[in-house]
Amino acid sequence: MNPEDVRTKLAAAGAPGIISIEPFEGVAARVKFDPTAATALFPIVRDALGFPHLSMVGGIDWVERYEVFYLVWSDPAKTYLLLSADLDAKAPHIETASACWPSANWHEREAWELVGIQFDHHPDLRHLLMPDGYQFHPLQRAFKLHEPEDLEVKVRHV
Amino acid sequence: MSTPGPAVASVAKPAAAVVGPGGELPIVSSDVSFVEIETLRSREFIPEAKEALSALVKEQAEGKLIRPVFNWAGRNSLFPLHWGLACCAIEFAAAFGARWDAERFGVVPRSSPRQCDLLIVNGTVTWKVAHKLIALYEQMPEPKWVIAMGNCATGGGPFRTAYSVVPGVDKLVPVDVYIAGCPPRPEALLDGILRLEALIRERGA
């Protein structure tokens, strides 16, 4: 499967919000899409293109924008497909993919926790790797590592 | 001998040699010198023993008599919690294997914190697991001790400035012995345990 195949299949299925389809190393193609069209696009990719398995969801802070990407796998075609969307840097948010691919649940929790991307209508958006009540998104560029000497630890004894 | 006390002075009384203390006990023996010494010893021993026993009973009321026994027994049968956090747990496990055999020091890992008096923090402590560590420590009965094994537990190790790692487990629980190394060898762990035993003897806890 090459980018032209992906373009043909997406156009035949009437996929909305496609911005660009370009070759990308290691995957069939990188599909840039409009985040507002996510809810309509995901089932088309899953059913019409035949990518039933979501391998991972990740987020990147590019300072002037945020990027969220979805790596999906097709077992018959033996190939990955990369879906990518640019989000607003002020309030990055996108509709959840867990309604389409249930495996997106924990990946989106991780992306929300570490990068700070809000996933709307997520069934269970809470901390995964950090303790409850953690106030920061440590993989954002603006996050500064603290010196342990400056750290004030408050222990609540059980 | 230069300053004889009352007991020595009574030795010099030959008349009391055939009679017991106070004169009420007739001594049936031909060996006068033997009888003399025995009666004198008994006479001095009874009030001394009374005094010593009453002092012991008084100390026992304060728990001073039995405490050294518990100290000796406790420091020679330290039960660490069977809890592995990171790669130091591999060395922890090796220390209880056939080659190093930490059980010859009475160190037996137990699976329940209720049965433990030693918490060996063997690995990186993240903020996510920090409250579990405190809960485990609080579940252990007193008296209890903590060994920070390896650089991560001692001061965060290579992850000292990381957002997710506790920079030293002594920020959470009181630590008695720190063991350096990344990871420390089983010999270092055994050395730390023996140092903790010396510490318990010294403190008298």
Side-chain angles (χ1 to χ4, degrees), chain A residues 3-17:
Chain A
E4 281 311 310
D5 297 338
V6 174
R7 189 190 308 277
T8 315
K9 285 188 180 179
L10 281 175

Side-chain angles (χ1 to χ4, degrees), chain A residues 94-107:
Chain A
I94 190 171
E95 194 68 25
T96 179
S98 58
C100 180
W101 290 289
S103 65
N105 192 323
W106 280 32
H107 289 276

Side-chain angles (χ1 to χ4, degrees), chain B residues 137-205:
Chain B
Y137 177 77
E138 297 288 340
Q139 283 175 13
M140 286 162 51
E142 294 274 0
K144 52 193 170 186
W145 298 275
V146 178
I147 289 180
M149 180 185 180
N151 290 352
C152 290
T154 302
F159 318 108
R160 186 170 170 78
T161 53
Y163 58 87
S164 57
V165 173
V166 181
V169 76
D170 50 4
K171 298 219 179 315
L172 304 173
V173 293
V175 177
D176 298 289
V177 173
Y178 297 87
I179 303 173
C182 189
R185 286 184 62 83
E187 294 96 318
L189 177 61
L190 294 180
D191 182 57
I193 289 170
L194 292 178
R195 276 168 196 269
L196 178 65
E197 288 183 8
L199 198 69
I200 295 167
R201 190 186 325 168
E202 194 179 302
R203 279 190 199 162

Side-chain angles (χ1 to χ4, degrees), chain A residues 114 127-131 134 138-139 143 145-149 151 153 155 157-158, chain B residues 126-128 131 134-135 137-138 155 160-167 171-173:
Chain A
L114 296 180
H127 281 287
L128 180 67
L129 301 170
M130 302 303 292
Y134 192 73
L139 292 195
F143 179 78
L145 290 176
H146 40 244
E147 283 301 316
E149 288 74 17
L151 199 65
V153 180
V155 174
H157 284 277
V158 289
Chain B
T126 59
W127 288 114
K128 183 82 171 178
H131 72 283
I134 294 168
Y137 177 77
E138 297 288 340
R160 186 170 170 78
T161 53
Y163 58 87
S164 57
V165 173
V166 181
K171 298 219 179 315
L172 304 173
V173 293

